[in-house]
Amino acid sequence: TPSNLCANGTASSVFSFTTANINCNRFSSTDTPINIPDNTAAGINSTVTVPNIDGVSITDVNVTLNMTHPWIGDISIVLISPKGTRVNLVSSRDDSGDNYTNTVFDDSATNTIDTNIAPYTGSFLPQVTLSKFNNEISSGDWVLSISDNGADDIGTIDSWSIEICGTLPPDTDGDGITDNIDNCINTINTDQADFDGDSIGDICDPDIDNDG
């Protein structure tokens, strides 16, 4: 109860709150280096797979890229989440510089990718915010799609990685197995038994032997 020489006050209600644990992990490409086709809108894709066990409900995404190219303005870069959400990190533009070298696309950066010069070493704001991925589940295939939209110059995706931060996905049935990997999300099913291998747990599978 608050009190001073002038008067006594009334105690306020007690409030409490908890904060979610944020987990961050980095996943690196294993299919690079990859040559980038010259002057081809379809471009080339590189894929990084986040295992189910590492899946989180996304709160932050950062991308680090190393690319060799003698006219970086030809290049467009799109990151695609397992859910299919697309974020344009940078679109082809007037930039005759060489390469991306340890370039980090980060919503928390202060420099923009549009107002700096190659090789863009350091952290930069992407052209479209990476927060578009927030609240998606991170597990699955992340695709970096890169196209060269000008003639006469060829390049290579040397390497890239994605850092993903987030909270553990929900566990609707409270069985200790998060919904993104639980084969019966509404029924306690700790053994995850799946006789017919259809990704529906036996305890909630209306056709356990898959005979129709």
Side-chain angles (χ1 to χ4, degrees):
T1 302
S3 176
N4 57 34
L5 293 176
C6 298
N8 293 324
T10 302
S12 63
S13 300
V14 176
F15 297 94
S16 64
F17 64 92
T18 58
T19 57
N21 291 324
I22 302 296
N23 299 315
C24 296
N25 286 293
R26 182 180 300 276
F27 306 90
S28 299
S29 61
T30 58
D31 59 0
T32 51
I34 301 175
N35 292 328
I36 304 168
D38 185 37
N39 198 22
T40 304
I44 196 73
N45 293 340
S46 175
T47 301
V48 167
T49 300
V50 175
N52 282 335
I53 196 168
D54 293 316
V56 294
S57 180
I58 297 170
T59 59
D60 188 40
V61 171
N62 303 314
V63 176
T64 301
L65 174 65
N66 285 285
M67 180 194 301
T68 301
H69 196 283
W71 194 286
I72 212 69
D74 289 351
I75 298 296
S76 292
I77 307 169
V78 179
L79 181 65
I80 307 168
S81 74
K83 186 180 179 180
T85 303
R86 302 171 67 91
V87 166
N88 294 322
L89 301 180
V90 61
S91 298
S92 57
R93 62 204 195 286
D94 185 16
D95 186 344
S96 60
D98 297 351
N99 308 332
Y100 286 105
T101 304
N102 291 324
T103 304
V104 181
F105 294 94
D106 183 349
D107 284 350
S108 298
T110 55
N111 296 315
T112 66
I113 199 72
D114 288 325
T115 57
N116 282 266
I117 59 174
Y120 302 102
T121 300
S123 296
F124 300 90
L125 289 165
Q127 290 180 339
V128 175
T129 178
L130 290 157
S131 64
K132 282 185 68 175
F133 299 126
N134 284 3
N135 300 315
E136 293 185 12
I137 301 300
S138 64
S139 53
D141 290 340
W142 289 82
V143 176
L144 193 69
S145 181
I146 296 181
S147 60
D148 181 330
N149 302 287
D152 302 326
D153 301 292
I154 58 175
T156 305
I157 307 171
D158 299 316
S159 65
W160 71 283
S161 64
I162 183 169
E163 181 186 34
I164 302 174
C165 297
T167 58
L168 288 178
D171 176 14
T172 301
D173 55 15
D175 62 0
I177 301 169
T178 54
D179 290 354
N180 61 311
I181 57 175
D182 193 344
N183 60 18
C184 286
I185 65 172
N186 293 304
T187 304
I188 294 175
N189 180 31
T190 54
D191 64 8
Q192 295 289 286
D194 181 12
F195 176 77
D196 57 4
D198 63 355
S199 299
I200 303 174
D202 293 345
I203 198 170
C204 61
D205 191 345
D207 181 16
I208 194 170
D209 59 1
N210 206 25
D211 64 354

